[in-house]
């Protein structure tokens, strides 16, 4: 039977809009099968432990972002992404995961943001990122300085695009043409952040804190695509 893509897309919107998300759904994504795989895409530096989850190319660069209310210990943390490959949707980034502790999440609860009555974040440039609050400020300073030196250019087309192309050349089996993820080091501060293509592109996404059996935060995730909907 032919798949009703519009109906499945609607179900996916409901999936990424929940207040809580079942850990079993996320667990099934971080496996390796013929259609699913995952990998570490980089590390982020967290000098403050306060985290922003935002569209880096549009909203973060434009100072339109919020910091999550919960904080994590200062340090460096790996970012992983679960990926699916499907005949209907091609290669898609399914769930981005910031791994904070090496323990298993037994529940996921929607992350709240400071100074906002809403949870979640808007995407208007097809990209999301995990970023420390200090690193976010450093990123904005870099963008401002870059535009001072390049007043008639675009920060994606004339700067970041090449990083994504290089990523795709390095790992073509995990990305679409042009690249889907990068680890970026700020040339001034040397602090790192990670950018990942946001599932089906522009829209509104939620982030969720993962809690382990001790009720301690062990990860932060952004679910973007539920591959089970497209594997039916």
């Amino acid at each position: 039977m032919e798949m009703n893509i519009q109906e499945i897309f609607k179900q996916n919107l409901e999936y990424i809009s929940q207040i809580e998300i079942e850990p079993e759904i996320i667990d099934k994504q971080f496996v390796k099968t013929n259609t699913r795989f995952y990998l570490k895409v980089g590390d982020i530096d967290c000098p403050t432990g306060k985290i922003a989850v935002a569209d880096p190319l549009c909203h973060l660069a434009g100072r339109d972002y919020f910091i999550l209310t919960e904080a994590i210990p200062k340090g460096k943390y790996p970012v992983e992404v679960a990926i699916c490959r499907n005949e209907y949707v091609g290669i898609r980034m399914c769930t981005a995961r910031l791994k904070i502790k090496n323990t298993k999440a037994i529940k996921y609860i929607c992350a709240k943001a400071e100074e906002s009555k809403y949870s979640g974040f808007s995407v208007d440039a097809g990209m999301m990122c995990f970023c420390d609050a200090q690193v976010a400020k450093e990123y904005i300073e870099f963008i401002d300085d870059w535009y001072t030196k390049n007043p008639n250019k675009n920060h994606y087309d004339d700067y970041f695009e090449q990083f994504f192309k290089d990523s795709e050349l390095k790992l073509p089996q995990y990305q679409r043409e042009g690249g889907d993820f990068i680890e970026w080091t700020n040339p001034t501060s040397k602090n790192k952040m990670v950018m990942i293509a946001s599932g089906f592109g522009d829209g509104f996404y939620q982030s969720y804190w993962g809690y382990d059996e001790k009720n301690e935060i062990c990860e932060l995730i952004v679910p973007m695509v539920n591959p089970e909907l497209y594997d039916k």
Side-chain angles (χ1 to χ4, degrees):
M1 184 173 64
E2 186 174 342
M3 178 176 287
N4 186 331
I5 294 296
Q6 289 186 336
E7 178 59 30
I8 298 298
F9 188 74
K10 178 182 177 182
Q11 292 179 32
N12 197 75
L13 286 176
E14 295 172 354
Y15 160 73
I16 64 174
S17 302
Q18 302 174 84
I19 299 301
E20 297 187 24
I21 195 162
E22 293 297 324
E24 292 80 9
I25 295 176
I26 303 302
D27 289 344
K28 290 179 181 178
Q29 294 182 31
F30 285 88
V31 297
K32 294 187 178 181
T33 68
N34 290 333
T35 60
R36 302 184 194 184
F37 29 97
Y38 69 95
L39 73 161
K40 175 185 172 182
V41 297
D43 295 299
I44 69 167
D45 291 302
C46 295
T48 71
K50 300 290 285 184
I51 304 297
V53 185
D55 176 335
L57 300 177
C58 180
H59 295 287
L60 185 58
R63 296 176 171 81
D64 178 20
Y65 70 99
F66 298 100
I67 304 297
L68 300 182
T69 55
E70 300 285 350
I72 63 175
K74 300 174 184 179
K76 183 188 295 284
Y77 298 98
V79 175
E80 305 167 327
V81 62
I83 305 167
C84 72
R85 183 190 293 114
N86 184 285
E87 64 177 304
Y88 300 103
V89 298
I91 293 176
R92 295 288 169 175
M93 306 298 107
C94 294
T95 297
R97 177 165 72 181
L98 177 65
K99 196 64 185 172
I100 299 158
K101 286 179 60 183
N102 192 27
T103 54
K104 179 179 173 59
I106 62 170
K107 63 180 177 180
Y108 291 104
I109 297 177
C110 200
K112 303 297 182 181
E114 295 179 350
E115 301 177 5
S116 174
K117 61 181 179 180
Y118 302 106
S119 61
F121 60 99
S122 295
V123 170
D124 289 290
M127 200 68 56
M128 58 78 57
C129 75
F130 294 116
C131 186
D132 182 86
Q134 177 180 314
V135 179
K137 292 180 179 179
E138 295 167 352
Y139 172 76
I140 292 168
E141 291 170 357
F142 169 82
I143 294 294
D144 289 347
D145 182 62
W146 188 88
Y147 272 110
T148 299
K149 297 173 181 175
N150 302 274
N152 298 314
K153 294 187 177 182
N154 176 274
H155 63 287
Y156 178 76
D157 295 338
D158 300 300
Y159 181 76
F160 283 109
E161 183 178 35
Q162 190 58 53
F163 287 92
F164 283 95
K165 287 182 177 179
D166 292 343
S167 176
E168 191 244 333
L169 289 173
K170 183 178 179 181
L171 294 168
Q173 69 273 37
Y174 297 114
Q175 305 177 71
R176 295 169 298 170
E177 183 177 357
D180 280 318
F181 49 76
I182 62 169
E183 175 195 77
W184 180 73
T185 303
N186 189 310
T188 304
S189 69
K190 307 305 179 185
N191 282 325
K192 295 179 178 180
M193 59 189 289
V194 166
M195 304 182 191
I196 299 172
S198 54
F200 288 122
D202 298 346
F204 194 83
Y205 296 87
Q206 301 283 353
S207 58
Y208 301 78
W209 291 113
Y211 293 85
D212 61 19
E213 60 183 4
K214 295 182 179 180
N215 204 35
E216 296 177 347
I217 290 174
C218 60
E219 55 192 53
L220 177 65
I221 64 169
V222 176
M224 299 176 287
V225 175
N226 183 353
E228 291 191 17
L229 298 175
Y230 298 89
D231 283 346
K232 292 180 180 178

